[in-house]
Amino acid sequence: MASASIQVSLTAGAATEIGFVPSGVVIDYNGGAARDTITTASAATVEASAALNAFTAAGTNRVIMGGTITNQTTLASAMPYTTTFDIDVIYQ
């Protein structure tokens, strides 16, 4: 919904081979297009886009993710390794 208040939070998954601590930004359209930091320690409360713009459709937001990867064990080449994290979005 356009101009809706949205809370976005991150939760890191359990790491066995690769640890991943997610962090990033979520675009806040409350009075502009500010980038609010989002980490596993702090959620971001933002406002959804009120109208179609160059980045998103009305009622949507953009999340840009990155993070820190830490090897939990010696990794072998040509082997697949996975880790998980959750992005939780609550429309208020």
Side-chain angles (χ1 to χ4, degrees):
M1 182 165 119
S3 300
S5 180
I6 302 168
Q7 183 177 24
V8 183
S9 60
L10 298 173
T11 305
T16 56
E17 298 162 334
I18 296 176
F20 179 64
V21 179
S23 65
V25 295
V26 60
I27 308 300
D28 184 358
Y29 290 99
N30 183 14
R35 290 176 169 88
D36 288 8
T37 301
I38 179 174
T39 67
T40 55
S42 65
T45 300
V46 299
E47 184 177 293
S49 174
L52 177 67
N53 60 56
F55 304 105
T56 59
T60 63
N61 291 65
R62 183 172 289 205
V63 176
I64 303 166
M65 290 301 305
T68 302
I69 295 173
T70 305
N71 295 341
Q72 305 290 333
T73 185
T74 303
L75 305 179
S77 63
M79 295 294 297
Y81 297 97
T82 61
T83 191
T84 62
F85 69 95
D86 294 321
I87 299 176
D88 297 308
V89 179
I90 300 171
Y91 292 88
Q92 302 172 337

